[in-house]
Amino acid sequence: MRRRRNRREEKDSPSFSEYIKVRAKIQTTLGKHATAELYSVAGRHWARFLQGRPCRLCDVNATLVADFTDYLRARDLRTNTINSYLSSLRAVYNAAVGEGLVDGEPNPFAGLRLKREITAKRAVPASVVEEMARLDLNDNPEWQRAVDLALFAFCAFGMPFVDVVCLRKADIHDGEIVYRRRKTSAEIRIGVTPAMKALFRRYANNTPYVFPLEQEAIERQGYAAYKLLLARHNRALARVSEQVGATTRLTSYVMRHTWASEALANDVSVAIISQALGHSSEQTTRCYLKQLDRSALDEANDRVTGFLNKYIG
């Protein structure tokens, strides 16, 4: 049975929209900029949905959540985008419950069932990666850098772009790269391949980073500067797509999908792929297998990326 709110609870209950902003700011201070941005965007949609109506945390109920879901669907947003906004607001609301700002009984998000929509495959064939390695882009340094970073990411278990940017020379020792994913904090260990060594030599520099990518500007200006760098990288890869005849537009994330796809095609087990990618959603598999021997990961990576060693040198 739903507990009746008393007047003091209603009076002290903060605005849900304002609390969303508070949680977004906290995520920013924790360095979780993508999450903070998602909270902020979801909060703006929520504010537009309310059309100026006040809504305290104690006013949020299942009917309001259902109406907001219909509001988002009416704007022709993709299912996965809607799911991201709803899960963000659910996380914010649950944080408020945890802080004791709202009773949360019954929880208005309890009946929410978020099923991800299967998206179009974002991997490209290995032949496209090979064509990228064959390109002569000496007359276009920006495109060359984009290709080199994409090839490195592919060689490094599909390393996310943010981790490529943050990769430090101190992360490389005894013939392997050891770093923690920015998104999940999972430790990733990668044996350094000949192609990687060639790229390290090509981008040798006097900074603490493996690749000089305006890290000082990012440290000064924050997430906005990183997003600009990522946008330039993906624009360059998009132009390269035309050069190599890729039917899928190349992006930093496509290389991650491509490594996973090629690993699976080369009979690498899902458990090994999961560990290589640092997926936190495969915790059960990783707990069962404990820590896989690095040689298994290196062998898997050699089967997937070994063909590049003869092109990058």
Side-chain angles (χ1 to χ4, degrees):
M1 182 180 294
R2 181 169 183 172
R3 185 173 67 82
R4 192 182 188 89
R5 297 195 303 261
N6 60 48
R7 291 188 176 183
R8 180 173 180 177
E9 284 179 315
E10 293 181 347
K11 180 181 178 181
D12 294 341
S13 182
S15 159
F16 189 30
S17 293
E18 289 305 313
Y19 188 66
I20 293 170
K21 294 177 183 177
V22 169
R23 293 305 303 175
K25 188 174 182 179
I26 289 172
Q27 294 301 309
T28 298
T29 60
L30 293 174
K32 298 182 177 180
H33 300 287
T35 301
E37 185 175 40
L38 189 55
Y39 282 10
S40 296
V41 175
R44 288 196 291 271
H45 278 287
W46 177 259
R48 285 194 287 268
F49 159 70
L50 292 175
Q51 295 183 323
R53 292 172 292 165
C55 179
R56 298 162 298 180
L57 278 164
C58 65
D59 296 326
V60 181
N61 56 46
T63 300
L64 202 59
V65 172
D67 289 345
F68 178 59
T69 303
D70 290 338
Y71 166 85
L72 294 175
R73 287 173 179 156
R75 269 135 194 82
D76 294 326
L77 298 175
R78 293 181 178 273
T79 298
N80 291 343
T81 300
I82 294 173
N83 289 349
S84 294
Y85 294 156
L86 291 173
S87 61
S88 294
L89 295 191
R90 178 173 60 187
V92 169
Y93 186 87
N94 288 341
V97 173
E99 287 191 56
L101 298 176
V102 64
D103 180 71
E105 291 293 340
N107 191 306
F109 293 90
L112 204 59
R113 297 291 180 267
L114 305 178
K115 290 187 177 181
R116 289 192 64 81
E117 182 179 53
I118 298 176
T119 56
K121 185 177 179 181
R122 286 191 276 182
V124 295
S127 59
V128 170
V129 182
E130 188 168 352
E131 285 301 315
M132 291 171 66
R134 290 175 181 272
L135 286 176
D136 180 359
L137 297 171
N138 289 329
D139 59 341
N140 195 320
E142 185 174 3
W143 290 16
Q144 183 66 66
R145 186 181 75 171
V147 166
D148 287 341
L149 295 179
L151 293 176
F152 172 77
F154 179 74
C155 289
F157 301 161
M159 186 182 288
F161 187 69
V162 64
D163 293 333
V164 174
V165 173
C166 296
L167 190 65
R168 291 175 174 266
K169 295 171 184 175
D171 297 327
I172 305 172
H173 45 81
D174 298 327
E176 67 176 342
I177 300 170
V178 183
Y179 78 101
R180 290 194 176 275
R181 278 200 64 197
R182 299 280 291 186
K183 183 176 181 179
T184 64
S185 294
E187 184 182 80
I188 309 294
R189 306 175 75 94
I190 310 168
V192 175
T193 68
M196 288 182 187
K197 289 180 181 179
L199 289 170
F200 295 159
R201 289 194 298 270
R202 187 176 296 176
Y203 288 89
N205 64 87
N206 295 322
T207 77
Y209 299 95
V210 175
F211 300 103
L213 298 169
E214 306 166 33
Q215 285 90 348
E216 289 186 3
I218 293 173
E219 289 175 3
R220 289 195 308 272
Q221 301 170 28
Y223 187 59
Y226 166 75
K227 286 185 66 178
L228 286 174
L229 176 65
L230 176 60
R232 289 203 306 272
H233 176 69
N234 283 334
R235 277 198 301 270
L237 286 181
R239 299 300 299 273
V240 171
S241 302
E242 303 166 7
Q243 302 292 313
V244 296
T247 56
T248 298
R249 180 175 174 173
L250 295 173
T251 68
S252 63
Y253 210 67
V254 163
M255 304 312 293
R256 185 165 174 79
H257 276 256
T258 300
W259 188 91
S261 179
E262 287 300 311
L264 195 61
N266 281 275
D267 300 320
V268 178
S269 74
V270 174
I272 291 180
I273 294 172
S274 173
Q275 185 176 337
L277 296 176
H279 280 166
S280 59
S281 59
E282 293 288 344
Q283 287 180 8
T284 302
T285 303
R286 233 180 286 121
C287 286
Y288 174 75
L289 295 172
K290 300 300 181 183
Q291 184 68 28
L292 288 171
D293 186 89
R294 190 175 68 85
S295 62
L297 297 175
D298 290 346
E299 181 183 350
N301 198 33
D302 184 60
R303 292 208 301 269
V304 175
T305 71
F307 69 89
L308 287 176
N309 293 332
K310 62 183 177 182
Y311 295 111
I312 306 175

